[in-house]
Amino acid sequence: MSIRVNHLTKLYGRQRALDNVSLDIHPGEVVGLLGPNGAGKSTLMKIITCFIPPTEGEVSVCGHDIFEESIRVREKVGYLPENNPLYLEMYVREYLEFVAGIHKIRGNVKGRVKEMIELTGLTLEQRKKIGALSKGYRQRVGLAQALIHDPEVLILDEPTSGLDPNQIQEIRGLIRTIGAEKTVMLSTHIMQEVEAICDRAVIIHKGRIIADDATRNLTASAGSKNLVTVEFSGKVTRDDLANIKEISKITQKQPNIWVVETDTQTDIREALFKLAVSKGASILSLSREELRLEEVFQILTRD
Ligand code: ADP
Ligand code: MG
């Protein structure tokens, strides 16, 4: 087992941040830990990475107990903390060499750093100060530092939070690439992120696990839906939209702006383009809404 969490409880004073959490993660799994702010995601990750001790319960990583063999655990785990704290005054390459030193990487340190720089797409930025990088590139540096000692398990705490949509896509792609080789646990509050990256979703709410299933089962049980907002340049009517058979619900936002809903996973965008063409209109904007975790929650916690 890559990660084994057994009856884990964490109290901060009287507050129960984690309440009897049990969870097994198999080698090679890419698991999304989903939950709103305050659910206990970061607390769980800090315990698994030996940054804080639990109040009760047992945790092991690749068979090593976090109390008995914390040094072994740290060797096995790469960790990207929430808000990715980095030394902004350091240069990218210098920082990664420094982290390699902390991990006591032997042999060709410069070669290993170069490999990580290439893997995470930092080649053009490697001579810059970290403080001069965009948030997306800082996240790449965070991923490179988490990977430098070639850990079996990666723990990524909200790896795309605060990034713009392009950066989000890039980082998700990178995590998918890395996830092909390693066991990954990442946290997020966006359902779509889990759908895009993870095989399995664990939903955590008020310190407890309330759902744990293959991602596709979870979204299916939650009644997965796609919402697309579309703005046309000219006249497209409700009836025109209703002719697209995949659309189950239509809401008019402004005279030319519509929100359409589909039940299936079909991508409705092509049908919308064809409709616009047939009406002699063009599409001024088109965006897919993310299904927020809160909505899934409402469904999962409904009596
Ligand atoms: P998440 O990462 O899901 O947002 P956290 O694990 O950070 O959740 O926090 C879980 C709960 O524990 C929250 O209510 C938070 O306020 C509380 N908490 C987290 N860290 C501390 C701390 N160091 N001291 C006291 N309470 C904390
Ligand atoms: Mg957190």
Side-chain angles (χ1 to χ4, degrees):
M1 203 60 66
S2 284
I3 302 176
R4 171 152 270 177
V5 174
N6 211 0
H7 300 294
L8 183 67
T9 292
K10 175 69 184 182
L11 299 177
Y12 290 115
R14 285 168 55 205
Q15 190 187 359
R16 208 167 270 271
L18 291 175
D19 188 4
N20 197 19
V21 167
S22 295
L23 180 68
D24 281 342
I25 298 182
H26 299 265
E29 274 193 297
V30 178
V31 176
L33 192 61
L34 268 159
N37 286 338
K41 304 181 295 296
S42 296
T43 300
L44 178 57
M45 293 180 147
K46 284 179 200 160
I47 293 172
I48 295 171
T49 52
C50 302
F51 274 82
I52 58 170
T55 308
E56 269 175 59
E58 292 142 24
V59 178
S60 64
V61 179
C62 303
H64 303 296
D65 184 88
I66 52 162
F67 281 119
E68 309 287 330
E69 299 178 277
S70 67
I71 293 182
R72 283 261 170 279
V73 171
R74 283 163 192 262
E75 283 170 7
K76 296 286 180 189
V77 172
Y79 177 39
L80 176 65
E82 196 171 24
N83 306 322
N84 188 14
L86 294 167
Y87 296 98
L88 302 183
E89 284 302 313
M90 283 180 103
Y91 293 90
V92 172
R93 224 167 47 183
E94 174 194 25
Y95 171 69
L96 293 174
E97 285 169 7
F98 164 72
V99 177
I102 292 175
H103 285 294
K104 300 195 173 62
I105 290 176
R106 280 182 287 265
N108 185 357
V109 169
K110 284 201 184 326
R112 180 70 190 156
V113 167
K114 183 165 179 275
E115 224 180 292
M116 289 305 100
I117 283 174
E118 282 167 9
L119 174 70
T120 54
L122 281 165
T123 307
L124 294 175
E125 317 288 324
Q126 59 179 307
R127 289 191 180 77
K128 291 188 184 167
K129 274 191 178 177
I130 293 171
L133 300 181
S134 69
K135 188 129 198 285
Y137 277 93
R138 286 186 202 181
Q139 263 338 52
R140 290 169 190 255
V141 178
L143 283 170
Q145 73 67 37
L147 286 163
I148 197 133
H149 55 303
D150 196 21
E152 284 177 37
V153 176
L154 263 188
I155 307 276
L156 311 175
D157 198 352
E158 307 226 15
T160 65
S161 105
L163 302 184
D164 71 35
N166 288 333
Q167 295 169 335
I168 288 176
Q169 290 310 326
E170 288 162 12
I171 295 297
R172 283 181 185 172
L174 198 49
I175 295 171
R176 272 195 298 267
T177 307
I178 297 162
E181 312 258 307
K182 304 203 179 280
T183 307
V184 179
M185 179 196 245
L186 67 89
S187 68
T188 176
H189 54 274
I190 299 164
M191 188 78 210
Q192 233 84 358
E193 179 130 306
V194 174
E195 279 191 301
I197 314 176
C198 306
D199 323 318
R200 175 177 158 201
V202 174
I203 298 191
I204 178 167
H205 183 40
K206 294 185 178 159
R208 293 193 184 162
I209 292 177
I210 60 165
D212 180 354
D213 208 340
T215 309
R216 55 179 181 284
N217 293 345
L218 201 66
T219 45
S221 68
S224 181
K225 59 180 180 179
N226 277 325
L227 292 180
V228 173
T229 302
V230 57
E231 179 177 8
F232 295 106
S233 65
K235 208 75 194 135
V236 172
T237 64
R238 182 179 288 271
D239 285 346
D240 295 333
L241 286 165
N243 278 335
I244 301 177
K245 63 176 187 311
E246 289 90 355
I247 293 180
S248 54
K249 191 173 167 196
I250 302 165
T251 313
Q252 188 166 22
K253 280 275 159 97
Q254 284 176 37
N256 287 328
I257 301 182
W258 303 84
V259 179
V260 298
E261 188 177 317
T262 58
D263 283 328
T264 55
Q265 291 297 329
T266 13
D267 194 343
I268 197 69
R269 291 174 293 187
E270 194 179 340
L272 291 171
F273 275 111
K274 284 184 178 157
L275 173 66
V277 170
S278 74
K279 292 278 144 189
S282 50
I283 287 181
L284 298 179
S285 69
L286 186 63
S287 62
R288 264 176 82 165
E289 308 285 323
E290 303 235 301
L291 181 62
R292 307 296 296 184
L293 174 67
E294 281 72 16
E295 295 176 60
V296 177
F297 258 148
Q298 285 167 4
I299 297 160
L300 283 174
T301 54
R302 200 161 51 196
D303 292 324

